[in-house]
């Protein structure tokens, strides 16, 4: 089966600029996750969607980050304006449903560098 | 708040030697624990979950609630085991229902030398 797709794979921007990432989950997967992975750390959940509704966005810096999944399929994550500390790999994952017993499948990630 | 700690950033062993990757957690409820692996140039993927009590690629992990640990073990390491390994915990959530949110440790890079 086709895996989770993300684009772009790499992005370099200057601080205070805006950037957007796109994710296409595995077909039929209702739950979509965005993780931030800073170098040397494990992934940290930013936001979780169930279909087009937000389940958990407690760790999303809402003053600069936003995410949407309007039709319950693709999702975009936006940063506006970017800061140096936003340099990280942004991972998208999807699963059939919520709950720990639904395996999460990860995309290849988008590596963001903020100069 | 839940937390996952992997005390070793790097672990090197020789082929055929036993390997143990350590994972400790803090969590107030009954945790669901996982090991994820990322091989070079590949995606992060699930290796095993404690609830399944399975052995994958020769790896096993036992949940020790008394010591709050979930160490990953393999009796005879192979070169193809070289990768980044993450321990992760799922929970807690409103009303005790897990919504699948994973909390990851910092990861351990395992290198198996020939």
């Amino acid at each position: 089966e086709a895996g989770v797709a993300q684009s772009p794979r790499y992005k370099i921007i200057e601080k205070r600029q805006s950037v957007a990432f796109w994710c296409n989950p595995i077909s039929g997967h209702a739950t979509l996750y965005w993780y931030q992975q800073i170098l040397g750390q494990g992934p940290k959940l930013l936001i979780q969607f169930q279909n087009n509704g937000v389940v958990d966005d407690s760790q999303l810096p809402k003053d600069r980050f936003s995410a949407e999944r309007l039709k319950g399929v693709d999702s975009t994550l936006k940063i506006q304006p970017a800061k140096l500390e936003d340099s990280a790999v942004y991972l998208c994952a999807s699963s059939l449903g919520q709950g720990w017993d639904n395996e999460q499948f990860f995309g290849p990630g988008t590596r963001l560098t903020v100069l | 708040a839940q937390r996952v700690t992997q005390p070793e950033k790097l672990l090197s062993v020789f082929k055929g030697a036993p390997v143990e990757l350590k994972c400790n957690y803090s969590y107030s409820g009954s945790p669901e624990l996982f090991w994820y692996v990322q091989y070079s140039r590949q995606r992060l993927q699930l290796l095993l979950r404690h609830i399944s009590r399975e052995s994958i690629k020769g790896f096993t992990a036992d949940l020790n609630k008394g010591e709050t640990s979930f160490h990953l073990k393999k009796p005879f390491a192979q070169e193809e085991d070289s990768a980044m390994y993450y321990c992760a915990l799922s929970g807690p959530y409103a009303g005790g229902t897990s919504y699948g949110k994973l909390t990851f440790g910092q990861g351990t890079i395992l290198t198996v030398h020939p």
Side-chain angles (χ1 to χ4, degrees), chain B residues 49-114:
Chain B
R49 63 188 88 187
H50 96 270
I51 196 70
S52 302
R53 299 187 181 281
E54 57 201 345
S55 173
I56 303 293
K57 299 184 179 182
F59 284 99
T60 58
D62 291 320
L63 177 61
N64 185 324
K65 291 187 178 181
E67 296 183 358
T68 61
S69 69
F70 187 56
H71 302 329
L72 183 68
K73 301 176 183 179
K74 185 170 183 176
F76 307 102
Q78 302 300 313
E79 290 179 69
E80 55 264 32
D81 297 328
S82 295
M84 172 72 92
Y85 291 80
Y86 293 98
C87 182
L89 179 153
S90 181
Y93 313 70
T97 302
S98 167
Y99 290 106
K101 170 184 176 178
L102 290 172
T103 298
F104 285 87
Q106 307 94 311
T108 298
I109 299 174
L110 172 65
T111 303
V112 181
H113 299 285

